[in-house]
């Protein structure tokens, strides 16, 4: 009995050690006592004639030991890491089995993509110090014994990167891809065109990048007070990717099991296109590439008005010939199945006012501008299909009806569009603002960059991409979207993307209900250490309390919630510093009258974590619910 108990306890704590490390949580982890140690001699053994696997093995070998372990095709007597291909239906294309024994690690998969994913899990079991590429790691390198069987729930696990609102270089895009692939994302949705910049070289339409890739430089809040370009002002901010660069990025992504889905956003969001070719609009007026100036009015509930025309003219045949030229080159460049045609937030006001457009609608039996947009979407679908590709678009492409079944829908205005689309028999990718918009504010507004909406890590972790009552076969998966209006640098892009993207990756890779938020947070704290070592600052807003204020009669009450197990929040309302062992928060407190400020600081195991929050009483009262 004592023996049995000992074993049980050992195995539970062992399970904890192995499972604690990995995000997204694997399908199955069996932990055993003991470790594999990377000592002086370890052989990496790969199958013959598998150059991709050999490359992965070489990279892993260099990661663990810069002087590198040998990569061989036959196992000898040394401890070994063995990579092998097998045939196990349940693993599919991307799954793997990772078995760590004391003298041998074996990684088995059906394809190199599965091997790649298995390596990402193994990497998370290795010491975080290895992620530091500046300082050589000198500690012992061992991996807990375990057997992990793992495969994805969804085939589409994406992140969208907007490179129009701010431009990111080829090296930065590659870095973004490399990092997402470590957490088993497999689709980069590359938002290449928008009002603020056209970023893809189209050889037959050179003005798209000569003119459309550049805007005058402005600072300050995007979409608010930035002035329009002055007469004759040189456009100096921007950039674009040449087709050679794009091919290079596609190859880099493919080597990491990432498919790139390019987006050409039509018929709205086209001010950069129209700056280059204004004749394709209804009014044919000269345009500029928007430098982040206000040109729209937003009324909430997805209602808006564009003060400057940013739509192509769907009644003009020249537009379709133009789109054909673009799609011909896009289809030749990108090997993936899908091309994204946008379709979102298209203002119909200029169409509605134009006699030529009205006549076109009458001739084609289109009763309103919604049907006109649906007509445009069908024409673009035909063009994309003629290049051997499938079309995907934002959920507005359902409006107006008649969407061909072969077209996939990306649901962003909540889940409703996705549910409707799946019920109509379209494939769907779920990217609802409510769970997946990575540009939304992720912590307290007093320390974060406030934008028009909030999305906490806990909320992202609630994403369930297959709604009840929907046939799961239509749900391809989901995706986090990083719009970059307020994100000018790669470092800040990481800050906004992670850790919420990790919550999404778990929701898209791991089985439904495979874990809980507190357990995810436990594993996340381990992953924080890996990002720290890699020199990448990601948001740790989860350490900062959620500040809620309630009102009862004329009194106001403060609530401070923390999502971190074992963390305590200390606070003061009298401008003293909330230090450990002073005023520990234990339940709602009344906010007294007076000119005072709330200060908070979180502690865990005696260590201050996250930032201090400092919020005036006036601001607290404004937040009262
Ligand atoms: C979108 O957020 N406009 C798709």
């Amino acid at each position: 009995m004592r023996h049995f108990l000992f074993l049980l306890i050992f195995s539970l704590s062992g399970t904890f050690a192995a499972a604690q490390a990995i995000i997204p949580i694997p399908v199955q982890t069996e932990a055993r006592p003991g470790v594999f140690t990377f000592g002086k001699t370890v052989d990496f053994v790969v199958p013959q004639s598998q150059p991709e696997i050999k490359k992965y093995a070489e990279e892993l070998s260099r990661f663990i030991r810069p002087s590198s372990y040998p990569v061989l095709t036959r196992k000898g007597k040394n401890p070994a890491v063995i990579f092998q291909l097998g045939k196990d239906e349940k693993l599919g294309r991307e799954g793997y089995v990772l078995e760590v024994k004391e003298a041998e690690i074996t990684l088995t998969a059906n394809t190199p993509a599965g091997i790649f994913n298995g390596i990402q899990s193994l990497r998370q079991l290795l010491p975080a110090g290895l992620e530091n590429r500046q300082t050589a790691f000198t500690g012992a390198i061992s991996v807990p014994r375990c057997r992990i069987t793992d495969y994805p729930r969804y085939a589409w696990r994406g992140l969208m990167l907007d490179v129009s609102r701010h431009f990111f270089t080829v090296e930065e895009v590659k870095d973004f891809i490399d990092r997402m692939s470590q957490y088993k994302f497999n689709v980069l949705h590359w938002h290449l065109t928008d009002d603020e910049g056209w970023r893809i070289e189209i050889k037959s339409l050179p003005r798209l990048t000569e003119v459309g890739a550049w805007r005058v430089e402005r600072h300050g809040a995007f979409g608010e007070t930035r002035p329009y370009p002055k007469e004759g002002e040189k456009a100096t901010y921007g950039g674009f990717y040449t087709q050679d660069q794009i091919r290079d990025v596609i190859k880099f992504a493919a080597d990491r099991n990432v498919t790139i889905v390019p987006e050409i956003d039509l018929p709205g969001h086209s001010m950069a296109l129209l700056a280059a070719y204004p004749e394709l609009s209804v009014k044919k007026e000269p345009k500029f590439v928007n430098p982040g100036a206000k040109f729209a009015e937003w009324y909430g509930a997805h209602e808006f008005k564009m003060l400057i025309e940013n739509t192509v003219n769907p009644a003009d045949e020249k537009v379709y010939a133009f789109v054909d030229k673009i799609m011909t080159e896009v289809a030749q460049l990108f090997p993936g199945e899908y091309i994204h045609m946008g379709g979102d937030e298209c203002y119909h006001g200029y169409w509605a006012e134009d006699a030529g457009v009205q006549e076109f609608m009458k001739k084609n039996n289109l009763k309103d501008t919604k049907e006109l947009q649906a007509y445009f979407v069908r024409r673009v679908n035909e063009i994309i299909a003629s290049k051997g590709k499938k079309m995907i678009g934002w959920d507005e492409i359902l409006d107006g009806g008649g969407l061909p079944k072969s077209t996939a829908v990306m649901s962003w205005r909540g889940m409703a569009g996705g549910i409707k689309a799946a019920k109509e028999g379209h494939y769907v990718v779920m990217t609802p603002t409510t769970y997946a918009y990575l540009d939304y504010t992720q912590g307290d507004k007093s320390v974060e960059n406030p934008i028009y909406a909030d999305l906490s890590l806990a909320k992202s972790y609630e994403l369930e991409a297959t709604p009840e009552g929907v046939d799961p076969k239509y749900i391809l998966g989901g995706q986090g979207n990083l719009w970059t209006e307020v994100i000018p640098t790669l470092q800040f892009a990481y800050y906004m993307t992670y850790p919420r993207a990790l919550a999404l990756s778990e929701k898209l890779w791991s089985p439904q209900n495979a874990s809980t938020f507190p357990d995810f947070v436990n594993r996340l704290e381990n992953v924080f250490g890996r990002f720290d070592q890699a020199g990448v600052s990601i948001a740790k807003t989860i350490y900062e309390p959620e500040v809620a204020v309630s009102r009862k009669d004329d009194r106001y009450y403060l609530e401070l919630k923390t999502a971190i197990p074992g963390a305590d929040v200390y606070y003061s309302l009298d401008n003293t510093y909330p230090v450990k062992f002073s005023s520990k928060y234990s339940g709602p407190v009344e906010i007294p009258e007076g000119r005072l400020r709330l200060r908070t600081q979180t502690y865990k195991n005696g260590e201050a974590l996250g930032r201090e929050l400092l919020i005036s009483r006036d601001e607290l009262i404004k937040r009262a619910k």
Side-chain angles (χ1 to χ4, degrees):
M1 186 62 190
R2 277 183 62 187
H3 184 67
F4 171 74
L5 257 184
F6 172 77
L7 257 183
L8 187 70
I9 290 163
F10 205 106
S11 110
L12 281 177
S13 61
T15 300
F16 188 65
Q20 186 191 32
I22 299 177
I23 293 178
I25 194 165
V27 172
Q28 193 185 23
T29 304
E30 294 162 41
R32 318 227 159 99
V35 294
F36 175 98
T37 297
F38 284 89
K40 270 212 177 65
T41 48
V42 177
D43 293 343
F44 281 53
V45 184
V46 297
Q48 274 193 356
S49 318
Q50 287 291 333
E52 260 178 296
I53 297 177
K54 180 157 180 263
K55 193 155 88 79
Y56 294 151
E58 284 165 352
E59 278 164 8
L60 179 65
S61 161
R62 270 198 303 276
F63 176 75
I64 296 172
R65 193 183 164 98
S67 61
S68 184
Y69 294 114
V71 176
L72 315 166
T73 48
R74 282 192 37 195
K75 179 170 160 33
K77 287 207 173 65
N78 289 333
V81 183
I82 300 166
F83 301 82
Q84 58 194 24
L85 289 175
K87 263 203 183 125
D88 181 345
E89 205 172 306
K90 103 175 150 294
L91 298 181
R93 192 185 71 82
E94 295 186 284
Y96 62 92
V97 174
L98 175 66
E99 178 140 33
V100 181
K101 297 185 190 159
E102 252 153 43
E104 194 173 290
I105 295 177
T106 48
L107 178 54
T108 314
N110 296 332
T111 69
I115 297 285
F116 178 83
N117 284 327
I119 289 173
Q120 304 320 306
S121 292
L122 178 56
R123 180 167 171 174
Q124 289 186 47
L125 295 175
L126 287 161
L130 287 171
E131 302 288 346
N132 186 335
R133 306 320 278 170
Q134 309 301 322
T135 313
F137 182 73
T138 52
I141 301 176
S142 52
V143 179
R145 274 189 62 198
C146 59
R147 182 184 163 89
I148 295 174
T149 306
D150 201 14
Y151 44 86
R153 180 173 175 201
Y154 293 107
W156 185 307
R157 305 177 306 280
L159 288 181
M160 188 213 75
L161 179 63
D162 167 9
V163 293
S164 173
R165 273 55 176 269
H166 281 100
F167 179 65
F168 295 84
T169 64
V170 164
E171 287 314 309
E172 289 173 331
V173 174
K174 284 183 174 177
D175 202 86
F176 191 84
I177 293 168
D178 185 50
R179 214 162 290 287
M180 65 188 264
S181 71
Q182 289 174 34
Y183 298 97
K184 305 188 178 80
F185 283 106
N186 65 354
V187 176
L188 176 78
H189 169 175
W190 207 359
H191 185 76
L192 286 161
T193 75
D194 214 304
D195 301 307
E196 289 76 15
W198 183 281
R199 306 283 178 226
I200 171 173
E201 178 190 30
I202 302 295
K203 287 185 191 288
S204 60
L205 300 164
R207 282 178 62 79
L208 281 173
T209 42
E210 283 166 12
V211 175
W214 304 96
R215 66 189 192 222
V216 298
E217 179 134 35
R218 292 287 182 268
H219 301 280
F222 207 95
E224 288 178 25
T225 55
R226 292 184 180 196
Y228 289 172
K230 297 188 194 74
E231 188 72 34
E233 188 178 358
K234 209 165 160 39
T236 54
Y237 177 87
F240 66 92
Y241 311 107
T242 65
Q243 295 198 354
D244 280 345
Q245 287 175 324
I246 287 174
R247 273 186 283 271
D248 179 39
V249 173
I250 291 168
K251 164 88 171 68
F252 181 91
D255 285 347
R256 287 156 183 77
N257 189 38
V258 173
T259 300
I260 300 186
V261 175
E263 180 182 352
I264 305 295
D265 202 347
L266 295 163
H269 285 275
S270 292
M271 211 154 122
L273 178 161
L274 294 173
Y277 298 93
E279 65 273 21
L280 300 177
S281 67
V282 165
K283 290 164 73 104
K284 305 186 182 358
E285 286 171 352
K287 301 272 183 327
F288 51 83
V289 180
N290 184 35
K294 177 181 160 110
F295 75 98
E297 281 173 357
W298 301 92
Y299 309 124
H302 303 290
E303 295 292 327
F304 53 87
K305 175 180 180 178
M306 295 300 171
L307 308 172
I308 297 177
E309 187 186 14
N310 71 337
T311 38
V312 296
N313 180 359
D316 185 349
E317 273 307 312
K318 284 201 292 297
V319 166
Y320 298 104
F322 190 89
V323 173
D324 193 288
K325 281 188 175 175
I326 294 172
M327 294 305 176
T328 300
E329 295 189 34
V330 170
Q332 277 167 2
L333 264 177
F334 290 89
E337 219 180 338
Y338 283 101
I339 294 177
H340 200 302
M341 60 74 65
D344 59 321
E345 296 177 321
C346 176
Y347 180 61
H348 296 176
Y350 297 94
W351 300 349
E353 286 166 8
D354 185 77
V357 174
Q358 294 304 314
E359 201 177 305
F360 180 86
M361 285 167 61
K362 229 187 252 148
K363 205 170 92 200
N364 288 281
N365 256 335
L366 304 167
K367 78 170 185 308
D368 55 25
T369 51
K370 273 195 170 175
E371 288 196 1
L372 175 60
Q373 178 165 342
Y375 169 90
F376 177 85
V377 167
R378 284 195 299 276
R379 290 285 303 269
V380 175
N381 186 66
E382 277 167 25
I383 292 169
I384 289 176
S386 76
K387 315 294 169 203
K389 300 287 183 184
K390 291 183 188 155
M391 188 174 98
I392 184 166
W394 300 109
D395 58 54
E396 285 95 330
I397 65 174
L398 287 163
D399 300 348
L403 188 67
K405 288 276 181 289
S406 61
T407 302
V409 172
M410 197 167 259
S411 190
W412 74 279
R413 295 176 299 177
M415 312 281 281
I419 294 170
K420 180 169 184 272
K423 291 199 164 156
E424 289 177 13
H426 299 280
Y427 285 114
V428 169
V429 178
M430 288 292 191
T431 72
T433 54
T434 32
Y435 304 98
Y437 265 41
L438 303 173
D439 58 327
Y440 283 11
T441 307
Q442 59 188 319
D444 196 274
K445 288 185 175 53
S446 62
V447 285
E448 288 295 304
N449 194 3
I451 74 160
Y452 51 89
D454 303 303
L455 175 62
S456 69
L457 177 65
K459 188 76 183 171
S460 283
Y461 198 76
E462 287 173 20
L463 173 72
E464 170 47 51
T466 305
E468 265 183 49
V470 164
D471 186 342
K473 85 168 186 222
Y474 290 115
I475 308 297
L476 293 176
Q479 175 178 293
N481 293 339
L482 189 70
W483 302 102
T484 59
E485 285 93 336
V486 297
I487 301 176
T489 63
L490 181 67
Q491 279 293 340
F492 194 52
Y494 284 141
Y495 180 90
M496 294 305 287
T497 303
Y498 298 99
R500 287 177 296 187
L502 302 179
L504 299 178
S505 109
E506 184 146 306
K507 289 294 159 172
L508 297 170
W509 173 280
S510 309
Q512 189 175 18
N513 303 323
S515 182
T516 59
F517 186 63
D519 178 65
F520 169 74
V521 169
N522 260 328
R523 283 176 287 121
L524 178 61
E525 288 196 88
N526 177 60
V527 171
F528 276 160
R530 309 192 76 81
F531 277 94
D532 288 345
Q533 290 288 347
V536 176
S537 298
I538 67 169
K540 295 183 181 169
T541 49
I542 190 162
Y543 288 126
E544 292 144 18
E546 199 183 305
V547 179
V549 179
S550 58
R551 181 182 173 163
K552 209 167 162 216
D553 305 324
D554 277 346
R555 292 161 184 264
Y556 294 93
Y557 297 87
L558 171 71
E559 237 186 293
L560 303 172
K561 293 183 209 148
T562 170
I564 297 279
D568 292 315
V569 179
Y570 290 78
Y571 74 99
S572 79
L573 283 159
D574 60 1
N575 273 336
T576 58
Y577 282 93
V579 290
K580 229 178 347 163
F581 311 122
S582 63
S583 40
K584 177 167 148 181
Y585 177 80
S586 59
V589 277
E590 186 175 347
I591 305 171
E593 300 266 346
R595 267 193 63 200
L596 45 87
R597 296 191 293 184
L598 167 72
R599 277 183 201 271
T600 74
Q601 179 65 58
T602 306
Y603 289 87
K604 186 176 172 184
N605 301 329
E607 193 189 340
L609 294 170
R611 293 164 296 191
E612 178 191 83
L613 301 186
L614 182 58
I615 309 174
S616 70
R617 185 182 192 277
D618 288 350
E619 171 60 24
L620 289 173
I621 299 307
K622 263 195 244 157
R623 295 183 186 187
K625 291 220 172 90

